[in-house]
Amino acid sequence: MICLLDKSLCCGCGACRSICPKHCIGMKEDAEGFLYPEIDTVNCVDCGLCEKVCPVRNQAESKWPSKVYAAVNSNEDVRRYSSSGGVFTVLAEKILSEGGVVFGARFNEHWDVIHDYCETLVGLAAFRGSKYVQSDMGDCYRLAEIFLKKGRKVLFSGVSCQIAGLHRFLRKEYENLLTVDVICHGVPSPLVWRKYVEAIQACPLGIAGGKWILSSLNEIPVITSITFRDKSTGWKKYSFSVRGHAGGQEELNTVFPPRTTKDEIIFREIHHENLFMDGFLKNVYLRPSCYACPAKSGKAKSDITLGDFWGIENVIPKFDDDGGCSVVLLYKSELLPLLGGVRIEEVAYEEVRWGNPALEKSATCSVNRNYFFYLLDKEKNLGNIYHLCFDASLMQRIRRFIFRKYGA
């Protein structure tokens, strides 16, 4: 059975839970908000399957793409509501058009990020766009296997360690499976995200430091959608934005563009000015395994890797319109026809790696990480925690140094 002594050796994919024949492994949230396996030792038969499917304990060899492309979706509406060039939508629509199933990450009714599947174009909208929170895989590995065994085509998307976990769980190759991972900086804590959402709902001015765009609102509005990569301020200067309306109840808006006249952008901040995004990009509350990722450099065994083509202005200037450009890494040349409807141009891998070091390098752990989670357990005001961790004043730097040296 899995005995987890070092949390950095668990990526939280849930493959061990999914493979257990006795269903005696659950995923339990720790004090930092990350899920880890918890084993019912009474019912465990010590079959060892949980250890065999772990992508951290059984890392694959590095794998390099056969082709690399800069890519832009020809449908400008789709690209506008995608994080980068809108390539994922093209791939997913192809699978759905052939009666297939698409797995991806979406928000639930509480704004937690979960993995789920869809079989329609309407359902696909919820998977579009980046979610900078670790998703709960739930039973998606088992469900994917059921669809595959029935002969249906499956597109399974996720971060690299999740795709690695899927392959370890399946334990065989399926011709009807297409796996797509994303260039991953790291996955932030669901607990921190949950507290951030609660804070902006309760007191947006206090937590975000910004102001509501709709001056007519006299009350905290109902949130109907959240976008981590709002490109209305540009792809390179993307924003964190909140959409909603004043009063009443509304279901989550998963259709882009929104189809209700009541929905409006009510809050927006440039990503480097938004506290949650700032802490994420500074590696303050990533999962411990993200600082030694087991699935970089093609180890996830994905068929396709997608990401932002940062630095496109230096490589293919004609693609640089600030509307979003994707990088597509194909590990099988025969997959090229899937990119029909996408403007592509082949580039060298080195030209992509320059702007995306996360392809090969893990995030560096922030010196403020332990201090942040210490404060998260003590301090109720999330805005104060960010202030104490990120303020550059001399007293705060001394306080953080003392904590790192001597602890609480």
Side-chain angles (χ1 to χ4, degrees):
M1 72 180 71
I2 282 187
C3 181
L4 192 63
L5 300 177
D6 183 349
K7 289 186 174 181
S8 68
L9 299 179
C10 174
C11 63
C13 69
C16 56
R17 170 188 175 275
S18 298
I19 200 68
C20 180
K22 293 296 183 179
H23 306 290
C24 62
I25 299 180
M27 300 296 288
K28 183 178 180 180
E29 187 175 290
D30 74 345
E32 294 182 348
F34 296 107
L35 295 175
Y36 292 92
E38 184 176 63
I39 301 176
D40 176 1
T41 56
V42 174
N43 292 312
C44 175
V45 295
D46 205 21
C47 66
L49 285 175
C50 55
E51 295 178 328
K52 291 178 181 178
V53 301
C54 176
V56 179
R57 296 171 184 240
N58 304 279
Q59 295 184 29
E61 296 293 326
S62 296
K63 183 179 179 182
W64 310 109
S66 58
K67 296 287 184 179
V68 182
Y69 298 95
V72 172
N73 194 321
S74 301
N75 185 321
E76 287 300 320
D77 288 333
V78 171
R79 185 164 70 123
R80 184 179 302 113
Y81 293 102
S82 301
S83 293
S84 49
V87 175
F88 168 76
T89 297
V90 172
L91 300 174
E93 287 178 343
K94 177 67 173 175
I95 298 299
L96 292 175
S97 71
E98 298 176 357
V101 184
V102 174
F103 285 80
R106 69 169 179 85
F107 290 115
N108 67 9
E109 65 274 17
H110 303 297
W111 300 110
D112 299 320
V113 180
I114 62 171
H115 244 72
D116 201 355
Y117 73 90
C118 74
E119 300 175 83
T120 66
L121 292 175
V122 173
L124 180 61
F127 298 154
R128 189 182 296 135
S130 301
K131 286 92 177 171
Y132 294 123
V133 188
Q134 182 164 33
S135 62
D136 185 345
M137 188 57 63
D139 290 321
C140 283
Y141 287 167
R142 292 175 185 166
L143 291 171
E145 184 179 41
I146 291 172
F147 287 126
L148 289 168
K149 287 182 175 180
K150 288 181 177 180
R152 296 184 67 178
K153 289 190 174 182
V154 171
L155 186 161
F156 203 104
S157 64
V159 294
S160 302
C161 60
Q162 291 174 331
I163 300 302
L166 173 67
H167 283 297
R168 296 297 308 180
F169 167 79
L170 293 174
R171 294 179 290 171
K172 63 173 288 187
E173 300 291 329
Y174 286 89
E175 292 185 359
N176 50 329
L177 172 65
L178 177 68
T179 53
V180 179
D181 69 343
V182 294
I183 301 173
C184 181
H185 176 82
V187 290
S189 160
L191 174 62
V192 176
W193 169 244
R194 200 156 56 237
K195 286 181 176 289
Y196 182 77
V197 172
E198 292 171 356
I200 60 174
Q201 286 177 317
C203 186
L205 298 182
I207 179 61
K211 55 186 176 184
W212 295 108
I213 291 175
L214 295 184
S215 58
S216 60
L217 291 176
N218 297 317
E219 57 182 300
I220 301 301
V222 174
I223 295 175
T224 55
S225 69
I226 296 175
T227 306
F228 287 95
R229 297 283 298 277
D230 181 351
K231 292 193 288 190
S232 60
T233 52
W235 171 52
K236 298 174 184 176
K237 200 176 181 181
Y238 63 87
S239 300
F240 173 92
S241 69
V242 179
R243 188 181 294 273
H245 59 83
Q249 295 296 319
E250 186 82 12
E251 293 183 358
L252 300 190
N253 174 33
T254 58
V255 180
F256 296 95
R259 293 182 177 177
T260 168
T261 56
K262 294 193 298 181
D263 277 347
E264 298 184 64
I265 293 288
I266 55 178
F267 182 75
R268 179 190 292 131
E269 285 184 320
I270 302 300
H271 65 275
H272 58 78
E273 297 175 355
N274 178 261
L275 293 183
F276 181 83
M277 291 297 294
D278 188 42
F280 159 56
L281 294 171
K282 289 178 177 176
N283 308 331
V284 176
Y285 32 75
L286 304 183
R287 189 179 182 95
S289 62
C290 293
Y291 304 114
C293 178
K296 291 193 180 296
S297 300
K299 291 181 179 180
K301 296 177 63 178
S302 298
D303 297 309
I304 300 175
T305 295
L306 301 177
D308 294 277
F309 201 136
W310 301 123
I312 188 64
E313 66 276 9
N314 301 316
V315 182
I316 310 176
K318 66 182 180 182
F319 276 22
D320 180 31
D321 61 358
D322 206 29
C325 181
S326 295
V327 57
V328 181
L329 282 69
L330 295 184
Y331 294 92
K332 299 176 182 177
S333 299
E334 60 268 27
L335 296 176
L336 183 58
L338 291 175
L339 298 178
V342 178
R343 292 191 293 130
I344 62 173
E345 189 160 326
E346 189 171 357
V347 297
Y349 175 75
E350 290 299 324
E351 293 174 311
V352 172
R353 185 174 63 172
W354 178 86
N356 279 290
L359 273 168
E360 300 177 6
K361 296 182 180 179
S362 299
T364 300
C365 186
S366 169
V367 294
N368 291 324
R369 188 182 189 282
N370 290 341
Y371 187 49
F372 180 90
F373 280 108
Y374 165 77
L375 292 173
L376 192 66
D377 184 52
K378 306 293 182 182
E379 172 66 58
K380 293 185 180 298
N381 188 308
L382 195 57
N384 288 344
I385 297 175
Y386 280 100
H387 171 72
L388 291 170
C389 282
F390 302 148
D391 190 353
S393 69
L394 177 61
M395 286 303 297
Q396 293 300 348
R397 293 200 303 271
I398 292 174
R399 183 174 181 176
R400 292 196 294 267
F401 172 79
I402 292 174
F403 178 86
R404 289 194 296 271
K405 189 173 181 63
Y406 301 107

